[in-house]
Amino acid sequence: MSEDLGYGWQGELLDLPAYLKRVGHDGDPAPTAATLRALHRAHVTSIPFENLEIMLGRPIDLSLDAVQAKLVERPRGGYCYEHNRLFAAVLERLGYEVTALAARVTLGAAKILPATHALLHVRPPDASRDEPAWLCDVGFGAGPLEPLRLVDGEEAVQDGWGFRLRRGRTVTTWTPDTAEWELHQRGPDSWVQRHTFVQNEVFRIDFEVGSHYVSTSARSPFTTRPFAQRFSSDSLRVLDGVKLTVTRPDGSVETRTLAPEDLPGTLGEDFGIVLEGGDADRLVEFVRARS
């Protein structure tokens, strides 16, 4: 057996039938653009975003076995590194060309923020090199439902949700061909820059480094409160601490505040996240201690 040098996504180790069942995809698995769109939509609408392992005092394990056990075999979810670790293995197994990228989540902020979000740059195997690649983002928790073509000015309305890509500034003077890309999401009143990225390849080990920061740093927003998202064609559900928000494609928003003891039930009913063993009590205790 050859040494694992850290390249690729170990698609050969994936339980593909279990994954396809989890996301409800029973279509043709041939590695085409149509299959990519269908799988992306199925993944985004089936497996929720959540950071609960951090609240429960457990490290995030990005091995493929661990990610499959959590996101596929159990009624749980994960954050971007877990989602895109899994999706990259799926696409690699099916025959796509998969390259990971690192993005800086801005949400409209102007200052430089760390590159702590994972994206995937994907090509079907029979695609011409002259055709644009696809940008996949199954791990943000708020869409897009389907991948976007990596084209400057590309704009897509997916079931009422709006997204666009555009080139931003040139990153440095000594690499003039390296342009920063921006992903924007349409808000109630205007477009909001969601994150920026450049086309520099990152690897599994880079996921490990980014995940360590996100899950342990006091500066990370994910170490202070539970956060979960579930995206669908008709709603974006967000649990931020004890605040539950439901946003519709037309921009309407409903918000309510939960008691800490309501969190486990809400996670199950609204997000499809079921906490096992003593995890529900541990989550409630964590939130009460922070209140």
Side-chain angles (χ1 to χ4, degrees):
M1 187 174 181
S2 60
E3 180 185 0
D4 176 14
L5 299 178
Y7 296 98
W9 300 96
Q10 299 176 311
E12 73 281 1
L13 304 179
L14 180 80
D15 186 344
L16 184 60
Y19 171 82
L20 295 176
K21 181 179 179 181
R22 170 73 161 106
V23 301
H25 180 79
D26 57 4
D28 186 352
T32 64
T35 299
L36 180 64
R37 290 194 297 270
L39 283 173
H40 194 289
R41 177 181 284 263
H43 185 118
V44 167
T45 57
S46 299
I47 308 179
F49 180 103
E50 49 119 321
N51 70 336
L52 302 180
E53 292 298 277
I54 303 170
M55 314 297 99
L56 299 172
R58 292 192 290 263
I60 305 295
D61 186 346
L62 295 182
S63 68
L64 187 57
D65 283 348
V67 171
Q68 286 189 107
K70 183 173 175 230
L71 275 65
V72 175
E73 298 170 17
R74 296 164 60 197
R76 289 289 304 275
Y79 59 24
C80 68
Y81 293 110
E82 297 167 282
H83 278 277
N84 283 303
R85 173 72 180 91
L86 175 63
F87 200 56
V90 171
L91 298 182
E92 183 182 75
R93 173 70 173 271
L94 293 175
Y96 292 91
E97 177 188 298
V98 183
T99 303
L101 306 172
R104 302 177 189 276
V105 177
T106 57
L107 296 177
K111 66 179 181 180
I112 296 293
L113 296 167
T116 55
H117 181 54
L119 301 169
L120 299 177
H121 176 285
V122 180
R123 288 185 185 277
D126 59 352
S128 165
R129 306 309 291 186
D130 294 330
E131 295 179 38
W134 295 89
L135 183 73
C136 293
D137 190 2
V138 298
F140 195 81
L145 289 166
E146 297 180 3
L148 302 176
R149 295 186 311 154
L150 200 59
V151 174
D152 188 15
E154 176 82 351
E155 188 170 321
V157 178
Q158 301 171 351
D159 297 0
W161 304 101
F163 303 90
R164 75 180 182 193
L165 277 169
R166 71 179 188 186
R167 285 181 179 269
R169 66 187 182 90
T170 298
V171 176
T172 67
T173 56
W174 50 273
T175 53
D177 293 331
T178 304
E180 185 175 71
W181 287 81
E182 302 172 355
L183 177 66
H184 295 249
Q185 187 161 4
R186 191 175 61 200
D189 303 314
S190 63
W191 289 96
V192 177
Q193 184 193 90
R194 198 169 84 177
H195 49 252
T196 66
F197 62 94
V198 294
Q199 293 187 67
N200 288 339
E201 183 174 14
V202 299
F203 303 93
R204 280 184 273 137
I205 188 62
D206 300 309
F207 277 30
E208 297 277 356
V209 173
S211 180
H212 178 74
Y213 172 85
V214 167
S215 63
T216 64
S217 173
R219 299 180 62 184
S220 167
F222 291 153
T223 59
T224 60
R225 86 283 194 228
F227 191 80
Q229 297 188 103
R230 187 156 195 177
F231 193 59
S232 67
S233 60
D234 63 1
S235 67
L236 168 62
R237 298 178 182 275
V238 179
L239 178 68
D240 188 344
V242 294
K243 185 172 75 172
L244 176 65
T245 303
V246 181
T247 303
R248 306 290 179 184
D250 63 5
S252 60
V253 179
E254 306 164 20
T255 302
R256 61 189 176 97
T257 300
L258 307 174
E261 57 268 23
D262 293 334
L263 291 177
T266 299
L267 287 167
E269 294 167 13
D270 286 51
F271 298 88
I273 297 170
V274 178
L275 298 177
E276 301 157 334
D279 285 351
D281 290 340
R282 278 192 285 272
L283 177 64
V284 171
E285 290 170 7
F286 177 91
V287 174
R288 281 178 175 160
R290 294 296 180 104
S291 297

